[in-house]
């Protein structure tokens, strides 16, 4: 059984079709890049998997079950925006996660925060946007989840921190779990990907192992992406 | 999980309301203190100012409670924090129940603080005695029951208003991507429909019970002059409780159908 399955998934907002007939199966133990230009439906797909949007048609199954409490227990999701209560301190947010997620490791979170020089007694509203994003990443990666979904995890950080973040993702995700990373900074993440999904105009146009794709098309994933999505 | 949700909902609202609670009780205490020396004009004026401030704080606690509940509901279910709310391993009915209980608890506290403020302000004064006399003189007697029923109906009415706001936000967001004006319009529409529902219950009761018919037919202008005033108030309480129950069920059903967060 696939870890995550999307079956004939459609999403439209009024007359506007955002996703069309998405069929997808994500196995366990893979790092997958969800790649596409801006506004092609990457975040919509991720939001559907995380119950933030309701499908117009089709279904999303996580370990064979529809999206719900069970799927939220095993999916650790990092959205593209800051979503924490900014009046809280980092310590309070850690407690919040520990209260709600059985698979959250508070000690690991504190260790990662210390590595990133983040003060757990500081209030989030006193932190920069970049620091808040790091706190969110730490919280997500401190869960022993089966599936990590990271929407633009490198978007708001400087290039020097990107490598550190990618290492944090690589060294901290639960063994046997899968990771879906949505980004258009392909060059930065290419080295860690097992598979890629190219999405364009709301349709999946390619879902393949990175090595197979590189061999067949010749060149890096970044180069293939640029070729395929040339304006 | 419900208790944890409720804990965080109360934490985000109560500290703010506590400021108004403290101000209401503090102003009432100071008013009473200064009015002990009301024969001295300046102290009398200061006392009256504190008295007015305490009354305005009572309204503040109630209005802030409702507005803050709506604001937090919108933020937590449709704003940026909704990315956390909807990805918590918690069922949607529990999320709604937590918001409803939060409203119930903070509104109860607000009513108790308002009552305490009024007692501090007026207990033992001429106004207090006059009101007590009027209550005793009502045709139905039993002033304590009258006060309890009136407060109960007002409490349920405010809870109903709070929930109509939630309904407006849920339906407004469903139909128009959360444009707040649309939510307000729907909320007002639901509130008006609810008022008609309450009136409908009275109409149905009037068809069965001739005493209740007098509520519609009487030429006496005041509800309090009716002999079966307690029955009318009890029926109001029942009607509002039924309305709250129906809206609660509908809101949970609509929320369970899923959300579309921007």
């Amino acid at each position: 059984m696939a870890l995550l399955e999307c079956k004939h998934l459609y999403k439209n907002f009024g007359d506007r079709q955002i996703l069309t007939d998405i069929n997808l199966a994500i196995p366990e133990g893979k790092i997958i890049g969800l790649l596409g230009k801006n506004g092609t439906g990457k975040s919509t797909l991720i939001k559907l998997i995380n119950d933030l949007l309701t499908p117009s048609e089709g279904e999303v199954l996580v370990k064979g079950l529809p999206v719900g409490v069970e799927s939220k227990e095993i999916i650790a999701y990092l959205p593209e925006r800051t979503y924490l209560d900014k009046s809280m301190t980092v310590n309070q947010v850690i407690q919040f996660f520990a209260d709600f997620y059985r698979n959250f490791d508070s000690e690991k979170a504190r260790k990662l925060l210390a590595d990133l020089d983040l003060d757990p007694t500081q209030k989030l509203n006193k932190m920069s946007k970049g620091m808040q994003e790091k706190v969110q990443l730490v919280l997500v990666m401190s869960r022993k989840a089966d599936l990590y979904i990271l929407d633009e995890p490198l978007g708001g950080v400087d290039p020097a921190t990107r490598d550190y973040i990618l290492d944090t993702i690589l060294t901290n995700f639960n063994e046997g779990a899968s990771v879906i990373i949505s980004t258009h900074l392909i060059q930065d993440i290419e080295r860690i990907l097992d598979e890629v999904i190219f999405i364009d105009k709301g349709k999946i146009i390619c879902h393949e192992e990175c090595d197979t794709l590189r061999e067949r098309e010749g060149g890096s994933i970044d180069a293939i992406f640029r070729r395929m999505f040339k304006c | 999980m419900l208790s944890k949700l409720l804990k965080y909902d109360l934490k985000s609202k109560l500290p703010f309301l506590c400021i108004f609670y403290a101000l209401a009780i503090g102003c009432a205490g100071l008013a009473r203190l200064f009015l002990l020396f009301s024969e001295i004009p300046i102290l009398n004026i200061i006392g009256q100012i504190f008295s007015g401030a305490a009354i305005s704080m009572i309204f503040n606690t109630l209005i802030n409670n409702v507005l803050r509940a709506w604001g937090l509901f919108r933020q937590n279910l449709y704003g940026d924090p909704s990315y956390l709310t909807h990805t918590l391993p918690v069922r949607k009915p529990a999320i709604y129940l937590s918001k409803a209980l939060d409203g119930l608890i903070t509104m109860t506290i607000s009513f108790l603080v308002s009552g305490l403020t009024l007692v501090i302000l007026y207990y033992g004064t001429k106004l207090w005695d006059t009101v007590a006399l009027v209550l005793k003189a009502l045709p139905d007697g039993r002033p304590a029951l009258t006060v309890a029923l009136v407060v109960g109906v007002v409490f349920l009415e405010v809870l109903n208003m709070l929930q109509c706001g939630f309904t407006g936000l849920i339906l407004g967001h469903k139909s128009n991507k959360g444009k707040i004006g649309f939510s307000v319009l729907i909320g007002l529409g639901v509130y008006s429909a609810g008022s008609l529902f309450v009136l409908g219950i009275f109409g149905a009761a009037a068809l069965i019970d001739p005493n209740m018919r007098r509520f519609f037919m009487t030429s006496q202008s005041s509800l309090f002059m009716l002999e079966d005033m307690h029955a009318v108030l009890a029926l109001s309480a029942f009607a509002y409780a039924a309305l709250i129950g129906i809206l609660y069920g509908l809101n949970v059903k609509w929320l369970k159908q899923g959300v579309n967060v921007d």
Side-chain angles (χ1 to χ4, degrees):
Chain A
M1 185 197 301
L3 180 57
L4 169 73
E5 272 183 285
C6 297
K7 293 182 175 173
H8 303 292
L9 195 61
Y10 289 78
K11 181 64 192 173
N12 52 281
F13 292 110
D15 295 336
R16 210 153 50 93
Q17 191 79 38
I18 308 295
L19 291 179
T20 309
D21 199 19
I22 299 287
N23 289 288
L24 187 65
I26 303 291
E28 290 180 354
K30 298 277 184 189
I31 301 180
I32 298 146
L34 182 61
L35 312 176
K37 290 195 288 189
N38 290 329
T40 49
K42 301 190 297 287
S43 290
T44 302
L45 177 58
I46 285 176
K47 280 156 99 175
L48 282 164
I49 296 167
N50 283 290
D51 202 21
L52 292 164
L53 291 175
T54 313
S56 303
E57 265 182 66
E59 58 179 348
V60 178
L61 301 172
V62 181
K63 285 196 166 175
L65 294 170
V67 173
V69 172
E70 294 79 11
S71 71
K72 291 170 191 179
E73 286 274 11
I74 58 172
I75 294 178
Y77 168 51
L78 178 73
E80 61 193 322
R81 60 182 80 186
T82 49
Y83 62 95
L84 299 170
D85 180 350
K86 292 183 181 60
S87 65
M88 283 178 156
T89 64
V90 178
N91 271 331
Q92 285 170 329
V93 175
I94 289 174
Q95 187 54 51
F96 182 93
F97 268 65
D99 276 348
F100 283 99
Y101 297 110
R102 280 181 289 184
N103 55 14
F104 182 73
D105 185 344
S106 303
E107 287 312 307
K108 185 175 174 181
R110 287 181 202 288
K111 189 188 163 299
L112 287 171
L113 286 169
D115 290 347
L116 283 163
D117 278 336
L118 292 167
D119 176 9
T121 60
Q122 199 174 1
K123 276 196 172 188
L124 289 164
N125 57 17
K126 302 283 177 205
M127 290 179 158
S128 68
K129 193 166 177 279
M131 285 163 86
Q132 288 177 31
E133 284 175 352
K134 282 181 194 169
V135 172
Q136 288 188 176
L137 180 74
V138 165
L139 293 168
V140 169
M141 297 316 296
S142 300
R143 285 182 60 196
K144 291 188 180 75
D146 291 349
L147 177 61
Y148 297 83
I149 301 180
L150 314 174
D151 196 357
E152 300 287 356
L154 310 173
V157 294
D158 54 89
T161 316
R162 278 182 204 159
D163 281 342
Y164 184 83
I165 286 179
L166 285 175
D167 287 340
T168 307
I169 293 168
L170 266 182
T171 50
N172 286 287
F173 79 94
N174 202 21
E175 207 175 316
S178 285
V179 184
I180 297 176
I181 306 177
S182 158
T183 185
H184 36 245
L185 298 167
I186 303 166
Q187 223 169 11
D188 290 299
I189 64 158
E190 181 163 351
R191 65 184 170 95
I192 68 168
L193 297 181
D194 296 313
E195 291 181 13
V196 283
I197 298 168
F198 285 163
I199 189 163
D200 188 33
K201 292 174 189 159
K203 289 180 182 170
I204 291 177
I205 56 168
C206 172
H207 180 190
E208 212 160 352
E209 294 233 341
C210 286
D211 291 339
T212 315
L213 188 63
R214 281 192 203 103
E215 225 167 86
R216 200 184 63 234
E217 298 287 332
S220 65
I221 299 294
D222 187 49
I224 298 165
F225 179 87
R226 283 169 197 271
R227 231 170 24 234
M228 286 177 95
F229 289 90
K230 197 172 180 182
C231 295
Chain B
M1 284 294 181
L2 175 65
S3 59
K4 289 173 185 168
L5 280 173
L6 186 57
K7 178 179 89 175
Y8 284 100
D9 277 339
L10 286 171
K11 263 186 176 178
S12 61
K13 204 158 123 198
L14 265 182
F16 184 79
L17 289 174
C18 280
I19 297 169
F20 288 106
Y21 296 154
L23 282 170
I25 292 170
C27 286
L30 285 169
R32 205 59 202 268
L33 188 68
F34 282 107
L35 290 174
L36 281 176
F37 311 100
S38 58
E39 67 279 5
I40 304 168
I42 185 69
L43 294 184
N44 185 39
I45 291 169
I46 294 171
Q48 294 298 344
I49 290 170
F50 275 119
S51 175
I55 296 293
S56 73
M57 284 305 146
I58 288 176
F59 286 107
N60 250 324
T61 54
L62 298 175
I63 293 167
N64 262 298
N65 200 331
V66 174
L67 290 179
R68 205 162 168 77
W70 288 338
L72 286 171
F73 187 87
R74 183 166 181 253
Q75 270 295 102
N76 289 345
L77 272 87
Y78 303 108
D80 283 352
S82 68
Y83 279 70
L84 184 58
T85 308
H86 295 300
T87 50
L88 292 173
V90 180
R91 291 183 202 287
K92 294 251 187 319
I95 293 172
Y96 186 82
L97 180 57
S98 169
K99 302 283 175 211
L101 285 175
D102 171 53
L104 181 71
I105 291 167
T106 52
M107 200 55 77
T108 305
I109 298 171
S110 293
F111 266 72
L112 289 174
V113 170
S114 300
L116 180 63
T117 307
L118 289 174
V119 168
I120 294 171
L121 267 181
Y122 297 118
Y123 185 73
T125 63
K126 271 184 196 167
L127 181 65
W128 185 275
D129 296 338
T130 309
V131 171
L133 275 175
V134 169
L135 283 171
K136 271 184 198 157
L138 291 175
D140 219 341
R142 292 178 290 176
L145 181 62
T146 308
V147 171
L149 280 169
V150 169
V151 172
V153 170
V154 174
F155 181 74
L156 289 170
E157 160 66 12
V158 177
L159 279 186
N160 171 51
M161 199 190 337
L162 183 76
Q163 195 164 236
C164 287
F166 292 164
T167 310
L169 288 165
I170 293 171
L171 292 182
H173 202 276
K174 251 183 194 303
S175 55
N176 207 13
K177 289 185 188 168
K179 281 185 186 161
I180 191 70
F182 214 68
S183 294
V184 171
L185 275 180
I186 293 177
L188 284 172
V190 172
Y191 181 76
S192 307
S195 301
L196 287 175
F197 169 83
V198 172
L199 202 61
I201 287 188
F202 272 94
L207 288 174
I208 303 161
D209 182 1
N211 287 329
M212 203 57 78
R213 211 166 298 154
R214 275 188 290 160
F215 174 66
F216 288 103
M217 313 285 277
T218 184
S219 57
Q220 290 164 324
S221 57
S222 171
L223 162 74
F224 292 96
M225 298 319 290
L226 285 173
E227 281 179 18
D228 45 9
M229 172 189 61
H230 288 163
V232 172
L233 287 169
L235 186 64
S236 302
F238 166 76
Y240 277 118
L243 183 58
I244 287 168
I246 291 168
L247 270 186
Y248 177 85
L250 287 172
N251 284 351
V252 168
K253 183 187 158 202
W254 286 322
L255 210 53
K256 273 169 81 177
Q257 287 170 353
V259 292
N260 285 300
V261 175
D262 286 332

